[in-house]
Structures are given as structure tokens and as C-alpha cells.
Amino acid sequence: MYDYFGDKRRLFLAILSDVSESLLATGRRALDEHLPEDRPITTVGQLEAALTALAIDLGTTVVGSADYSAGFALVAQERLRTPTTDDDIETAPVQAAFAERIARFAEDGLLDTDTPRLAADHFSALTLLLAYERQPVPATADLDEIRQIMIDGAHAFIRAYARREGHRPA
């Protein structure tokens, strides 16, 4: 390994790169499948169904993955040794793409937000982050519980962000 990578640092960075690429591909695939640009979503009900499907897809794929969990654990261990925010698994491009879709739903009058990126972060917190907190070990992850967390999180997101006549969330 050291002949190929040279040192621990370059091995660590290579692992981060591989996990990041895989996670980005997973996220883009899920966004394209559940919130495609070419299939209009015209009602809050359709949007909730699409967001729920997206959340379940990502939750069962990401939270239940030993590879992703190992990558996140590796980052956490490295931060304990060398506090830095420079070395992380890259999620920004998928979050940005999701925020763009949220902005489109706001423009279409389905969601009420002036800060699509914050709304995307809230969606992640209500779904993926909560599932990781409750199911931290992929080998023992309960996929039914992950699915329920995703359903509940998508529903809570819609309750918080869906546009209502004469009402604007704080």
C-alpha cells in the first residue's frame, strides 16, 4: 500500500476521494430518479411522495452501507487526531443540486422558502442525519426503521415548508 500511496495521508485522501465519488453518484442518481427535471411535480402531495421516495432511497442506500459508514468514521477519527475541516467526504455538489430543485419548487409555488440551501440542510437533518443517529451500525441497521425515519422526515419537511394560502413560515 505504501509503495502505491506513499504515506498514510495520501491513502486517507484516496479513500475520501473514492467515498466522495460513490456518494455523489448515489445522490445524483437518486435526485434524477425521484426529482427529475423533465417530470413536472405540480402538487404538494406529488412533491411529498417524491421527497419520501428520495429519502427512502438515500436512507436505505447510504445509512445501511458499511462502506459509507466506514468513510464517515475515518473522517471523524482523523479529525480527532488532526482538527481540520479541509478533509471531508464531499457532499456539497449533491446538496447544491438538491437546493436548486427546492428553489424550483419554491418558484413553482409548492414550497415557501427564501433559502433553498437551508431547506435542503433541514431535509437532510430530518432524514439522513436522524437515521444515522438512530442506526449508527450498518451491520445491525433496521431497514424498516430507516424507512420510517425517512417517511416521517419527509412529512415533517413538507409540514414546515409547503406553501399555504395566506401563511408564511417564520
Side-chain angles (χ1 to χ4, degrees), residues 50-129:
L51 289 172
T52 300
L54 172 71
I56 290 170
D57 186 349
L58 289 174
T60 56
T61 302
V62 176
V63 177
S65 167
D67 290 341
Y68 292 136
S69 182
F72 293 129
L74 185 61
V75 168
Q77 289 172 355
E78 185 65 19
R79 285 201 179 139
L80 289 174
R81 291 179 359 150
T82 311
T84 179
T85 58
D86 294 342
D87 300 330
D88 205 349
I89 294 171
E90 183 64 46
T91 60
V94 171
Q95 281 293 92
F98 185 48
E100 288 173 12
R101 285 179 171 93
I102 287 176
R104 186 187 69 204
F105 296 130
E107 289 170 7
D108 292 346
L110 298 176
L111 296 178
D112 192 358
T113 183
D114 295 328
T115 54
R117 179 55 197 253
L118 179 60
D121 290 344
H122 285 160
F123 183 83
S124 295
L126 289 166
T127 56
L128 290 170
L129 294 178

Side-chain angles (χ1 to χ4, degrees), residues 23-45:
L23 190 58
L24 291 173
T26 296
R28 285 187 178 124
R29 178 208 44 83
L31 282 173
D32 290 344
E33 182 176 331
H34 302 291
L35 299 175
E37 302 278 349
D38 61 347
R39 186 174 65 209
I41 292 174
T42 59
T43 69
V44 171

